[in-house]
Amino acid sequence: MKHYACAVCLVAGVAACGGGGGGGGGSGIDPRLARLDIYEGQKLRVLGDPEAGVLGMAVTADENIPASGSMSLSGFATMRVETGSQPLILFGDADMQIDFDTSVAQGAVSSVFGGSSDADIADYAGTIDLQSNAVGQDMPLGYAGALSGGGQTLGFAGEMTGVLLGNPASAFAGGDLEAQVDHNGTPREGTIVIVLEENGL
């Protein structure tokens, strides 16, 4: 599962760069940092931490992929955009609904925040929509949308590959490690990864 292994490495690396920055006001504690802690906990549950010897969830066996019904998942997305100086590191909430009867998956990335290491954390308006018409393992998941914040405008459009995790299936991880991102009108290299768990677990 090359894509799964890459997703583990990327999320671990990007998450390590995600802290810091300003914002929050008032009490001096930025509530977005609490969201990073939640994302980190979910990353450990789903993907584990190979360097620390923490096992993640196993890839769902073919016989355990549901043939009918639906699944509602939520979690986070992380994006990295190579800007030519300091990369932009972004995080946001993600959700997806999978309908195994129609083999359709739909979702979105929203409430995005982040920035570069030499700038304050900024909130980003906009969403990235997620769509697939081929539910299963090595699932192609299209993504498209625009984000703007902190003086940056980012356009995303591409396709990631994802896998169902857990036996029975209860999570999903996917990523595009060679994403092409429009950054203020300039094409840039980037990455996008999502990690999701079934709601109600």
Side-chain angles (χ1 to χ4, degrees):
M1 284 282 128
K2 178 179 69 174
H3 300 293
Y4 173 68
C6 289
V8 171
C9 295
L10 180 67
V11 174
V14 171
C17 302
S27 66
I29 300 174
D30 192 328
R32 292 168 294 196
L33 297 180
R35 290 170 60 193
L36 287 178
D37 289 339
I38 293 171
Y39 298 158
E40 176 66 14
Q42 186 169 47
K43 175 181 76 79
L44 289 174
R45 288 192 302 273
V46 176
L47 300 180
D49 184 347
E51 292 186 359
V54 179
L55 296 178
M57 300 174 69
V59 173
T60 305
D62 289 342
E63 61 269 23
N64 289 333
I65 297 175
S68 61
S70 62
M71 181 184 296
S72 178
L73 305 106
S74 61
F76 72 94
T78 180
M79 292 77 69
R80 178 183 176 114
V81 182
E82 304 298 339
T83 63
S85 55
Q86 295 292 330
L88 289 172
I89 308 293
L90 306 178
F91 293 88
D93 296 336
D95 66 81
M96 187 166 68
Q97 292 71 47
I98 300 177
D99 188 325
F100 293 100
D101 293 304
T102 61
S103 197
V104 169
Q106 293 180 313
V109 177
S110 60
S111 301
V112 174
F113 65 94
S116 61
S117 61
D118 59 358
D120 287 346
I121 295 174
D123 291 321
Y124 280 70
T127 60
I128 300 173
D129 295 324
L130 308 171
Q131 172 76 37
S132 179
N133 296 312
V135 170
Q137 294 301 38
D138 292 324
M139 181 172 121
L141 183 65
Y143 60 89
L147 303 173
S148 60
Q152 313 291 337
T153 299
L154 304 171
F156 293 84
E159 185 175 275
M160 68 178 76
T161 301
V163 291
L164 292 165
L165 301 170
N167 290 286
S170 58
F172 177 90
D176 181 0
L177 308 186
E178 298 179 345
Q180 297 299 306
V181 183
D182 183 298
H183 171 237
N184 295 337
T186 300
R188 302 287 193 185
E189 294 182 353
T191 55
I192 177 171
V193 172
I194 62 171
V195 178
L196 306 169
E197 290 179 287
E198 186 174 11
N199 293 328
L201 292 181

